[in-house]
Amino acid sequence: NAGVTQTPKFRILKIGQSMTLQCAQDMNHNYMYWYRQDPGMGLKLIYYSVGAGITDKGEVPNGYNVSRSTTEDFPLRLELAAPSQTSVYFCASSYDRASYEQYFGPGTRLTVT
Amino acid sequence: EDKVVQSPLSLVVHEGDTVTLNCSYEVTNFRSLLWYKQEKKAPTFLFMLTSSGIEKKSGRLSSILDKKELFSILNITATQTGDSAVYLCAATLNSGYALNFGKGTSLLVTP
């Protein structure tokens, strides 16, 4: 049972490039989330999904897209990367609504220069 | 606007001290408040609180929620250097689907 896995661990992008951050969980959780964490700040929700085929925007969705074709996978797509997207990205999952414990992946540290 | 405020933002104590971390919240349709510990990487779950006045305890850590005054505290007794971390609290957003995090309290325990 690997829990929540994320790839890559680190990435440097040039302005205007695109990339996909991968996230997978093997706990059969319906709910999955993407957060970003800027230095000295708490986590901010980008997108979430309540099940395969269903996604919705969080607090800071601009510049990102997601898809959820399976229960296990929840990739985050960055289009036209900007320096403001330099951050650490965490994927999380939970069995049920957010009132239950969320399990976090190890994070992806992204730098846009 | 939903918000979660933690205090202090940072704290330095000596091993063996007791610390109290604070978290106040204003969240529409509050469901629960969660505490996480974040060391170098991902946050790890500590407690979930849904009812006022009921203390949750795990070893040297304990936490309690006051739904009337809209705050929670996290206590750590007999601190150890391994307690050094950022402690995050989070409340559910009004949608109930995700967590609204505070900025965290950075705790450093010195030998």
Side-chain angles (χ1 to χ4, degrees), chain A residues 33 37 42 45 97 99 102 105, chain B residues 31 36 38 42 48 97-98 102:
Chain A
Y33 316 83
Q37 186 177 35
L45 181 68
R97 290 189 171 200
S99 56
Q102 290 187 12
Chain B
R31 292 179 188 267
Y36 284 83
Q38 185 176 26
M48 182 178 73
Y97 288 121

Side-chain angles (χ1 to χ4, degrees), chain A residues 29 93-95 97-103, chain B residues 34 36 45 48:
Chain A
H29 285 170
S93 71
S94 63
Y95 174 72
R97 290 189 171 200
S99 56
Y100 292 81
E101 175 184 354
Q102 290 187 12
Y103 295 81
Chain B
L34 290 83
Y36 284 83
F45 175 78
M48 182 178 73

Side-chain angles (χ1 to χ4, degrees), chain A residues 39-92:
Chain A
M41 304 292 286
L43 284 76
K44 291 193 180 295
L45 181 68
I46 306 171
Y47 270 95
Y48 65 94
S49 168
V50 302
I54 307 170
T55 63
D56 208 346
K57 295 177 181 178
E59 190 180 355
V60 290
N62 291 343
Y64 307 95
N65 273 302
V66 293
S67 58
R68 184 96 181 270
S69 57
T70 66
T71 300
E72 293 78 20
D73 300 298
F74 190 39
L76 177 73
R77 177 86 178 156
L78 276 74
E79 305 282 0
L80 298 174
S84 61
Q85 294 178 303
T86 294
S87 191
V88 180
Y89 291 83
F90 289 102
C91 177

Side-chain angles (χ1 to χ4, degrees), chain B residues 18-47:
Chain B
T18 293
V19 298
T20 298
L21 309 183
N22 304 293
C23 176
S24 65
Y25 64 91
E26 292 177 28
V27 175
T28 308
N29 295 326
F30 173 82
R31 292 179 188 267
S32 59
L33 188 133
L34 290 83
W35 284 96
Y36 284 83
K37 178 181 181 181
Q38 185 176 26
E39 295 174 90
K40 293 294 184 185
K41 292 187 177 178
T44 53
F45 175 78
L46 293 174
F47 298 111

Side-chain angles (χ1 to χ4, degrees), chain B residues 57-106:
Chain B
K57 198 168 170 66
S58 175
R60 296 175 294 101
L61 278 67
S62 63
S63 185
I64 197 161
L65 177 67
D66 186 327
K67 291 170 79 172
K68 183 179 175 187
E69 301 296 331
L70 307 183
F71 77 90
S72 174
I73 60 171
L74 175 69
N75 278 320
I76 309 175
T77 59
T79 52
Q80 302 171 356
T81 54
D83 295 326
S84 296
V86 174
Y87 290 84
L88 298 166
C89 78
T92 52
L93 295 176
N94 56 6
S95 67
Y97 288 121
L99 297 171
N100 191 348
F101 281 87
K103 293 183 179 180
T105 293
S106 177

